[in-house]
Amino acid sequence: MMKEKPDIKSMNLPELVSFVENLGEKPFRAKQLYEWMHRNLSESIEEMTNLSAGFREKLKEECTYTVLKQTDVQISKQDGTRKYLFMLEDGNVIESVWMRYKFGNSVCISSQAGCRMGCRFCASAIGGLERNLLPSEMLEQVYRIQKDTDERVSRVVVMGTGEPLDNYDSLLRFIRLLTDEGGLHISQRNLTVSTCGLVPEILRLADEKLQITLAVSLHAPTQKKRLALMPIASKYDVEQVRDACRYYFEKTGRRITFEYALAAGVNDGNEDAYNLADLLIGQNCHVNLIPINPVKERKFFSSDQEAVLSFKNKLEKNGIHVTIRREMGRDIDAACGQLRKKYMERRWVT
Ligand code: SAH
């Protein structure tokens, strides 16, 4: 079997040093290479002009240089949100979103091509999992977007397609490279990872000594309701998830964000609000209410504004910190796997 070539954009500096030494080069070449990749965001080895032509040739033969190809970009007329479709080496497509906020630019990236978690309201779940993304493929979404917009990205959220904790090792590598001072040096506090609640991985992540924000998709306050929306609940029940989050806070001092997508008549009633307050009482956390994005194939509809506000009030009365997510890019399908899905459907019919 042919051995796969090493993916140098997924390597940390010490690994890169031993890689270039094996090619007969001095260790400082690794530093230069690292800078071209993670600082200058180079699109090709060809651009790396302070490396000798011979070394560049060797690199082209001996390694994989991962670069994403931009297939499509849609720009919202409402708020400037940009939705990108990128093509991977093997023809899979993934999507990423760029949002401009007062405090800086934010990118939402995918962690897998597809997803196997099967949440009932989510467009990304429909086709199942294609494959995990490499650390380089996660980084590249940020790199290509920063280059394309020519503006610094200051926040990254891993909330696009995929379950990041189902791709744990690549996620950790991605986090370390993205926040490394030799690269884009994005602050760990400006990085959010969202999970549907994989308990063993939440516990493991808590012990990594990171300062990232963990967002946990709760979406229902009781085990019975959650199970109807999220198949993963059959593996880890809602109290186990809540307790893992408590452990995460104790270990890291970072307050958990619970995401709660409100669907009319499903999880937005008075009783749901009180049950949620009950579940979270005494926990240092924050609830982010998201009016659910209706997805064509799914029969869920967004709660109206009155229901959202009343839900928020009930939580606040019980001492829970709540925000309502600002919706961006509605006019460009900037939500939850919708553009990727459209693209794939287009491909199937041609
Ligand atoms: N797998 C991870 C991250 C990707 S999903 C997770 O489950 O958290 C990112 C967020 O979008 C999750 O909170 C997810 O539940 C939510 N989401 C998915 N489909 C949605 C929809 N149609 N409307 C609103 N939020 C949705």
PDB file of all heavy atoms in Angstrom, residues 51-64:
ATOM      1  N   LEU A  51      12.861  29.879   0.921  1.00  0.00           N
ATOM      2  CA  LEU A  51      13.318  28.484   0.955  1.00  0.00           C
ATOM      3  C   LEU A  51      13.943  28.194  -0.417  1.00  0.00           C
ATOM      4  O   LEU A  51      13.448  28.671  -1.437  1.00  0.00           O
ATOM      5  CB  LEU A  51      12.147  27.529   1.190  1.00  0.00           C
ATOM      6  CG  LEU A  51      11.265  27.772   2.416  1.00  0.00           C
ATOM      7  CD1 LEU A  51      10.144  26.732   2.486  1.00  0.00           C
ATOM      8  CD2 LEU A  51      12.090  27.725   3.707  1.00  0.00           C
ATOM      9  N   SER A  52      15.000  27.389  -0.410  1.00  0.00           N
ATOM     10  CA  SER A  52      15.687  27.142  -1.685  1.00  0.00           C
ATOM     11  C   SER A  52      14.754  26.389  -2.644  1.00  0.00           C
ATOM     12  O   SER A  52      13.853  25.659  -2.218  1.00  0.00           O
ATOM     13  CB  SER A  52      16.939  26.304  -1.440  1.00  0.00           C
ATOM     14  OG  SER A  52      16.566  24.971  -1.115  1.00  0.00           O
ATOM     15  N   ALA A  53      15.000  26.589  -3.926  1.00  0.00           N
ATOM     16  CA  ALA A  53      14.169  25.917  -4.933  1.00  0.00           C
ATOM     17  C   ALA A  53      14.233  24.401  -4.740  1.00  0.00           C
ATOM     18  O   ALA A  53      13.225  23.703  -4.881  1.00  0.00           O
ATOM     19  CB  ALA A  53      14.630  26.298  -6.335  1.00  0.00           C
ATOM     20  N   GLY A  54      15.408  23.915  -4.369  1.00  0.00           N
ATOM     21  CA  GLY A  54      15.588  22.470  -4.164  1.00  0.00           C
ATOM     22  C   GLY A  54      14.717  21.958  -3.020  1.00  0.00           C
ATOM     23  O   GLY A  54      14.068  20.917  -3.139  1.00  0.00           O
ATOM     24  N   PHE A  55      14.701  22.693  -1.927  1.00  0.00           N
ATOM     25  CA  PHE A  55      13.901  22.309  -0.759  1.00  0.00           C
ATOM     26  C   PHE A  55      12.412  22.349  -1.103  1.00  0.00           C
ATOM     27  O   PHE A  55      11.648  21.452  -0.752  1.00  0.00           O
ATOM     28  CB  PHE A  55      14.234  23.229   0.422  1.00  0.00           C
ATOM     29  CG  PHE A  55      13.491  22.906   1.705  1.00  0.00           C
ATOM     30  CD1 PHE A  55      13.140  21.606   2.050  1.00  0.00           C
ATOM     31  CD2 PHE A  55      13.157  23.935   2.598  1.00  0.00           C
ATOM     32  CE1 PHE A  55      12.465  21.317   3.231  1.00  0.00           C
ATOM     33  CE2 PHE A  55      12.482  23.656   3.778  1.00  0.00           C
ATOM     34  CZ  PHE A  55      12.126  22.345   4.092  1.00  0.00           C
ATOM     35  N   ARG A  56      12.027  23.378  -1.845  1.00  0.00           N
ATOM     36  CA  ARG A  56      10.607  23.470  -2.221  1.00  0.00           C
ATOM     37  C   ARG A  56      10.187  22.278  -3.080  1.00  0.00           C
ATOM     38  O   ARG A  56       9.104  21.725  -2.901  1.00  0.00           O
ATOM     39  CB  ARG A  56      10.338  24.788  -2.968  1.00  0.00           C
ATOM     40  CG  ARG A  56      10.131  25.963  -2.026  1.00  0.00           C
ATOM     41  CD  ARG A  56       9.830  27.236  -2.767  1.00  0.00           C
ATOM     42  NE  ARG A  56      11.056  27.917  -3.181  1.00  0.00           N
ATOM     43  CZ  ARG A  56      11.126  28.794  -4.180  1.00  0.00           C
ATOM     44  NH1 ARG A  56      10.055  29.070  -4.893  1.00  0.00           N
ATOM     45  NH2 ARG A  56      12.265  29.364  -4.472  1.00  0.00           N
ATOM     46  N   GLU A  57      11.069  21.887  -3.994  1.00  0.00           N
ATOM     47  CA  GLU A  57      10.784  20.704  -4.832  1.00  0.00           C
ATOM     48  C   GLU A  57      10.611  19.462  -3.966  1.00  0.00           C
ATOM     49  O   GLU A  57       9.688  18.672  -4.140  1.00  0.00           O
ATOM     50  CB  GLU A  57      11.919  20.461  -5.839  1.00  0.00           C
ATOM     51  CG  GLU A  57      11.832  21.317  -7.097  1.00  0.00           C
ATOM     52  CD  GLU A  57      10.440  21.348  -7.711  1.00  0.00           C
ATOM     53  OE1 GLU A  57       9.866  20.269  -7.953  1.00  0.00           O
ATOM     54  OE2 GLU A  57       9.906  22.465  -7.916  1.00  0.00           O
ATOM     55  N   LYS A  58      11.540  19.329  -3.003  1.00  0.00           N
ATOM     56  CA  LYS A  58      11.503  18.172  -2.115  1.00  0.00           C
ATOM     57  C   LYS A  58      10.180  18.141  -1.337  1.00  0.00           C
ATOM     58  O   LYS A  58       9.542  17.103  -1.182  1.00  0.00           O
ATOM     59  CB  LYS A  58      12.676  18.245  -1.123  1.00  0.00           C
ATOM     60  CG  LYS A  58      13.590  17.018  -1.184  1.00  0.00           C
ATOM     61  CD  LYS A  58      14.647  17.027  -0.095  1.00  0.00           C
ATOM     62  CE  LYS A  58      15.765  18.033  -0.378  1.00  0.00           C
ATOM     63  NZ  LYS A  58      16.743  18.128   0.737  1.00  0.00           N
ATOM     64  N   LEU A  59       9.787  19.324  -0.866  1.00  0.00           N
ATOM     65  CA  LEU A  59       8.531  19.406  -0.109  1.00  0.00           C
ATOM     66  C   LEU A  59       7.351  18.951  -0.965  1.00  0.00           C
ATOM     67  O   LEU A  59       6.485  18.206  -0.517  1.00  0.00           O
ATOM     68  CB  LEU A  59       8.288  20.837   0.378  1.00  0.00           C
ATOM     69  CG  LEU A  59       9.103  21.315   1.575  1.00  0.00           C
ATOM     70  CD1 LEU A  59       8.862  22.804   1.823  1.00  0.00           C
ATOM     71  CD2 LEU A  59       8.756  20.522   2.836  1.00  0.00           C
ATOM     72  N   LYS A  60       7.340  19.416  -2.195  1.00  0.00           N
ATOM     73  CA  LYS A  60       6.217  19.062  -3.076  1.00  0.00           C
ATOM     74  C   LYS A  60       6.133  17.555  -3.282  1.00  0.00           C
ATOM     75  O   LYS A  60       5.052  17.000  -3.417  1.00  0.00           O
ATOM     76  CB  LYS A  60       6.339  19.791  -4.418  1.00  0.00           C
ATOM     77  CG  LYS A  60       5.899  21.253  -4.318  1.00  0.00           C
ATOM     78  CD  LYS A  60       5.794  21.900  -5.680  1.00  0.00           C
ATOM     79  CE  LYS A  60       6.711  23.102  -5.745  1.00  0.00           C
ATOM     80  NZ  LYS A  60       7.063  23.507  -7.102  1.00  0.00           N
ATOM     81  N   GLU A  61       7.312  16.917  -3.291  1.00  0.00           N
ATOM     82  CA  GLU A  61       7.316  15.461  -3.474  1.00  0.00           C
ATOM     83  C   GLU A  61       6.957  14.716  -2.191  1.00  0.00           C
ATOM     84  O   GLU A  61       6.266  13.710  -2.223  1.00  0.00           O
ATOM     85  CB  GLU A  61       8.715  14.984  -3.898  1.00  0.00           C
ATOM     86  CG  GLU A  61       8.962  15.103  -5.385  1.00  0.00           C
ATOM     87  CD  GLU A  61      10.444  15.024  -5.706  1.00  0.00           C
ATOM     88  OE1 GLU A  61      11.184  14.320  -4.970  1.00  0.00           O
ATOM     89  OE2 GLU A  61      10.864  15.694  -6.666  1.00  0.00           O
ATOM     90  N   GLU A  62       7.434  15.244  -1.066  1.00  0.00           N
ATOM     91  CA  GLU A  62       7.387  14.451   0.178  1.00  0.00           C
ATOM     92  C   GLU A  62       6.194  14.721   1.076  1.00  0.00           C
ATOM     93  O   GLU A  62       5.971  13.998   2.027  1.00  0.00           O
ATOM     94  CB  GLU A  62       8.672  14.673   1.006  1.00  0.00           C
ATOM     95  CG  GLU A  62       9.963  14.318   0.291  1.00  0.00           C
ATOM     96  CD  GLU A  62      10.110  12.806   0.072  1.00  0.00           C
ATOM     97  OE1 GLU A  62       9.510  12.039   0.852  1.00  0.00           O
ATOM     98  OE2 GLU A  62      10.802  12.414  -0.885  1.00  0.00           O
ATOM     99  N   CYS A  63       5.465  15.804   0.831  1.00  0.00           N
ATOM    100  CA  CYS A  63       4.372  16.087   1.760  1.00  0.00           C
ATOM    101  C   CYS A  63       3.098  16.504   1.048  1.00  0.00           C
ATOM    102  O   CYS A  63       3.087  16.786  -0.144  1.00  0.00           O
ATOM    103  CB  CYS A  63       4.802  17.166   2.762  1.00  0.00           C
ATOM    104  SG  CYS A  63       4.893  18.793   2.037  1.00  0.00           S
ATOM    105  N   THR A  64       2.037  16.535   1.827  1.00  0.00           N
ATOM    106  CA  THR A  64       0.770  17.085   1.341  1.00  0.00           C
ATOM    107  C   THR A  64       0.686  18.516   1.844  1.00  0.00           C
ATOM    108  O   THR A  64       0.917  18.766   3.035  1.00  0.00           O
ATOM    109  CB  THR A  64      -0.417  16.296   1.952  1.00  0.00           C
ATOM    110  OG1 THR A  64      -0.244  14.929   1.609  1.00  0.00           O
ATOM    111  CG2 THR A  64      -1.740  16.795   1.453  1.00  0.00           C
TER     112      THR A  64
END
